[in-house]
Short mmCIF file of all heavy atoms in Angstrom, two decimals:
data_model
loop_
_atom_site.label_atom_id
_atom_site.label_comp_id
_atom_site.label_asym_id
_atom_site.label_seq_id
_atom_site.Cartn_x
_atom_site.Cartn_y
_atom_site.Cartn_z
N ALA A 87 -3.61 34.40 -25.27
CA ALA A 87 -3.12 35.73 -24.92
C ALA A 87 -3.71 36.19 -23.59
O ALA A 87 -3.02 36.81 -22.77
CB ALA A 87 -3.46 36.72 -26.04
N GLU A 88 -4.99 35.87 -23.37
CA GLU A 88 -5.64 36.22 -22.11
C GLU A 88 -4.98 35.49 -20.94
O GLU A 88 -4.73 36.07 -19.88
CB GLU A 88 -7.12 35.85 -22.18
CG GLU A 88 -7.90 36.15 -20.91
CD GLU A 88 -9.35 35.71 -21.00
OE1 GLU A 88 -9.90 35.68 -22.13
OE2 GLU A 88 -9.93 35.39 -19.94
N VAL A 89 -4.68 34.21 -21.15
CA VAL A 89 -4.03 33.41 -20.10
C VAL A 89 -2.62 33.96 -19.83
O VAL A 89 -2.20 34.07 -18.67
CB VAL A 89 -3.97 31.92 -20.49
CG1 VAL A 89 -3.15 31.13 -19.47
CG2 VAL A 89 -5.38 31.35 -20.58
N SER A 90 -1.88 34.31 -20.88
CA SER A 90 -0.53 34.87 -20.71
C SER A 90 -0.57 36.15 -19.88
O SER A 90 0.27 36.37 -19.00
CB SER A 90 0.11 35.16 -22.07
OG SER A 90 0.39 33.98 -22.77
N GLU A 91 -1.56 36.99 -20.16
CA GLU A 91 -1.69 38.24 -19.42
C GLU A 91 -2.01 37.98 -17.95
O GLU A 91 -1.42 38.59 -17.05
CB GLU A 91 -2.80 39.10 -20.06
CG GLU A 91 -2.93 40.47 -19.44
CD GLU A 91 -3.96 41.34 -20.16
OE1 GLU A 91 -4.34 40.98 -21.30
OE2 GLU A 91 -4.39 42.34 -19.58
N GLU A 92 -2.93 37.04 -17.72
CA GLU A 92 -3.28 36.68 -16.34
C GLU A 92 -2.09 36.06 -15.62
O GLU A 92 -1.78 36.38 -14.48
CB GLU A 92 -4.45 35.68 -16.36
CG GLU A 92 -5.03 35.36 -15.00
CD GLU A 92 -6.09 36.37 -14.58
OE1 GLU A 92 -6.89 36.78 -15.43
OE2 GLU A 92 -6.10 36.72 -13.39
N LEU A 93 -1.40 35.17 -16.33
CA LEU A 93 -0.23 34.51 -15.76
C LEU A 93 0.85 35.53 -15.42
O LEU A 93 1.45 35.49 -14.34
CB LEU A 93 0.31 33.47 -16.76
CG LEU A 93 1.57 32.72 -16.38
CD1 LEU A 93 1.34 31.86 -15.14
CD2 LEU A 93 2.03 31.83 -17.55
N GLY A 94 1.09 36.47 -16.35
CA GLY A 94 2.11 37.48 -16.11
C GLY A 94 1.82 38.32 -14.88
O GLY A 94 2.73 38.65 -14.10
N ARG A 95 0.56 38.67 -14.68
CA ARG A 95 0.18 39.46 -13.53
C ARG A 95 0.50 38.74 -12.22
O ARG A 95 1.03 39.34 -11.26
CB ARG A 95 -1.31 39.81 -13.60
CG ARG A 95 -1.80 40.69 -12.47
CD ARG A 95 -3.10 41.39 -12.81
NE ARG A 95 -4.18 40.47 -13.15
CZ ARG A 95 -4.65 40.31 -14.38
NH1 ARG A 95 -4.14 41.00 -15.39
NH2 ARG A 95 -5.65 39.47 -14.62
N HIS A 96 0.22 37.44 -12.19
CA HIS A 96 0.45 36.68 -10.96
C HIS A 96 1.93 36.34 -10.76
O HIS A 96 2.39 36.26 -9.61
CB HIS A 96 -0.42 35.43 -10.95
CG HIS A 96 -1.89 35.74 -10.86
ND1 HIS A 96 -2.47 36.27 -9.72
CD2 HIS A 96 -2.89 35.64 -11.78
CE1 HIS A 96 -3.76 36.47 -9.95
NE2 HIS A 96 -4.03 36.09 -11.18
N ILE A 97 2.66 36.14 -11.86
CA ILE A 97 4.11 35.96 -11.72
C ILE A 97 4.71 37.21 -11.11
O ILE A 97 5.54 37.15 -10.20
CB ILE A 97 4.75 35.67 -13.09
CG1 ILE A 97 4.33 34.28 -13.59
CG2 ILE A 97 6.28 35.75 -12.99
CD1 ILE A 97 4.82 33.97 -15.01
N ARG A 98 4.29 38.36 -11.62
CA ARG A 98 4.80 39.64 -11.11
C ARG A 98 4.49 39.81 -9.62
O ARG A 98 5.34 40.26 -8.85
CB ARG A 98 4.20 40.79 -11.92
CG ARG A 98 4.84 42.14 -11.64
CD ARG A 98 4.26 43.22 -12.54
NE ARG A 98 4.93 44.49 -12.33
CZ ARG A 98 6.01 44.88 -12.95
NH1 ARG A 98 6.58 44.08 -13.84
NH2 ARG A 98 6.57 46.05 -12.70
N ILE A 101 6.73 37.46 -7.61
CA ILE A 101 8.10 37.99 -7.58
C ILE A 101 8.20 39.12 -6.56
O ILE A 101 9.16 39.20 -5.78
CB ILE A 101 8.53 38.48 -8.98
CG1 ILE A 101 8.73 37.29 -9.93
CG2 ILE A 101 9.82 39.30 -8.89
CD1 ILE A 101 9.07 37.70 -11.35
N PRO A 119 10.35 43.66 -10.73
CA PRO A 119 10.87 42.66 -11.65
C PRO A 119 11.75 43.25 -12.75
O PRO A 119 12.72 42.63 -13.18
CB PRO A 119 9.59 42.04 -12.23
CG PRO A 119 8.57 42.23 -11.17
CD PRO A 119 8.91 43.54 -10.53
N LEU A 147 12.05 32.56 -24.96
CA LEU A 147 12.31 33.75 -24.15
C LEU A 147 13.24 34.73 -24.85
O LEU A 147 14.18 34.33 -25.55
CB LEU A 147 12.93 33.35 -22.81
CG LEU A 147 12.00 32.77 -21.74
CD1 LEU A 147 12.78 32.49 -20.46
CD2 LEU A 147 10.82 33.69 -21.45
N THR A 327 2.75 30.24 -24.53
CA THR A 327 1.87 30.96 -23.60
C THR A 327 2.61 31.31 -22.32
O THR A 327 2.50 32.43 -21.80
CB THR A 327 0.63 30.11 -23.28
OG1 THR A 327 -0.09 29.84 -24.48
CG2 THR A 327 -0.28 30.81 -22.30
N ILE A 328 3.39 30.36 -21.79
CA ILE A 328 4.13 30.60 -20.55
C ILE A 328 5.25 31.61 -20.77
O ILE A 328 5.48 32.50 -19.94
CB ILE A 328 4.67 29.28 -19.98
CG1 ILE A 328 3.51 28.41 -19.50
CG2 ILE A 328 5.64 29.54 -18.82
CD1 ILE A 328 3.91 27.01 -19.11
N SER A 329 5.96 31.49 -21.89
CA SER A 329 7.04 32.45 -22.16
C SER A 329 6.48 33.87 -22.28
O SER A 329 7.08 34.84 -21.78
CB SER A 329 7.80 32.07 -23.43
OG SER A 329 7.00 32.22 -24.59
N GLU A 330 5.31 34.01 -22.91
CA GLU A 330 4.68 35.33 -23.01
C GLU A 330 4.24 35.84 -21.64
O GLU A 330 4.28 37.03 -21.37
CB GLU A 330 3.49 35.27 -23.96
CG GLU A 330 3.89 35.15 -25.43
CD GLU A 330 4.70 36.35 -25.89
OE1 GLU A 330 4.14 37.44 -26.01
OE2 GLU A 330 5.91 36.18 -26.11
N GLY A 331 3.82 34.92 -20.77
CA GLY A 331 3.47 35.31 -19.40
C GLY A 331 4.68 35.84 -18.64
O GLY A 331 4.59 36.83 -17.90
N ILE A 332 5.84 35.19 -18.83
CA ILE A 332 7.07 35.67 -18.19
C ILE A 332 7.45 37.03 -18.75
O ILE A 332 7.82 37.94 -18.00
CB ILE A 332 8.20 34.64 -18.40
CG1 ILE A 332 7.87 33.33 -17.67
CG2 ILE A 332 9.53 35.21 -17.88
CD1 ILE A 332 8.84 32.21 -17.94
N HIS A 333 7.36 37.19 -20.08
CA HIS A 333 7.63 38.51 -20.69
C HIS A 333 6.71 39.58 -20.10
O HIS A 333 7.14 40.70 -19.80
CB HIS A 333 7.43 38.45 -22.21
CG HIS A 333 8.46 37.63 -22.91
ND1 HIS A 333 8.23 37.00 -24.11
CD2 HIS A 333 9.75 37.32 -22.59
CE1 HIS A 333 9.32 36.36 -24.50
NE2 HIS A 333 10.25 36.54 -23.58
N GLU A 334 5.43 39.22 -19.96
CA GLU A 334 4.45 40.17 -19.42
C GLU A 334 4.84 40.61 -18.02
O GLU A 334 4.63 41.77 -17.63
CB GLU A 334 3.08 39.48 -19.39
CG GLU A 334 1.93 40.37 -18.95
CD GLU A 334 1.41 41.25 -20.07
OE1 GLU A 334 1.57 40.90 -21.26
OE2 GLU A 334 0.83 42.30 -19.75
N ALA A 335 5.42 39.69 -17.25
CA ALA A 335 5.74 39.98 -15.86
C ALA A 335 7.00 40.81 -15.70
O ALA A 335 7.06 41.68 -14.83
CB ALA A 335 5.91 38.67 -15.09
N VAL A 336 8.02 40.55 -16.52
CA VAL A 336 9.33 41.15 -16.23
C VAL A 336 9.74 42.27 -17.18
O VAL A 336 10.66 43.03 -16.87
CB VAL A 336 10.42 40.06 -16.22
CG1 VAL A 336 10.10 38.98 -15.19
CG2 VAL A 336 10.64 39.44 -17.59
N PHE A 337 9.09 42.39 -18.35
CA PHE A 337 9.47 43.46 -19.28
C PHE A 337 8.57 44.68 -19.07
O PHE A 337 7.38 44.54 -18.86
CB PHE A 337 9.36 42.98 -20.73
CG PHE A 337 10.55 42.19 -21.17
CD1 PHE A 337 10.59 40.83 -21.01
CD2 PHE A 337 11.64 42.83 -21.76
CE1 PHE A 337 11.70 40.09 -21.41
CE2 PHE A 337 12.75 42.10 -22.16
CZ PHE A 337 12.78 40.72 -21.99
#
Side-chain angles (χ1 to χ4, degrees):
E88 179 183 332
V89 173
S90 292
E91 185 176 344
E92 187 86 40
L93 177 63
R95 182 160 58 252
H96 293 291
I97 291 174
R98 190 176 183 88
I101 289 176
L147 283 182
T327 300
I328 292 172
S329 68
E330 287 299 289
I332 295 173
H333 291 154
E334 184 81 25
V336 303
F337 278 90

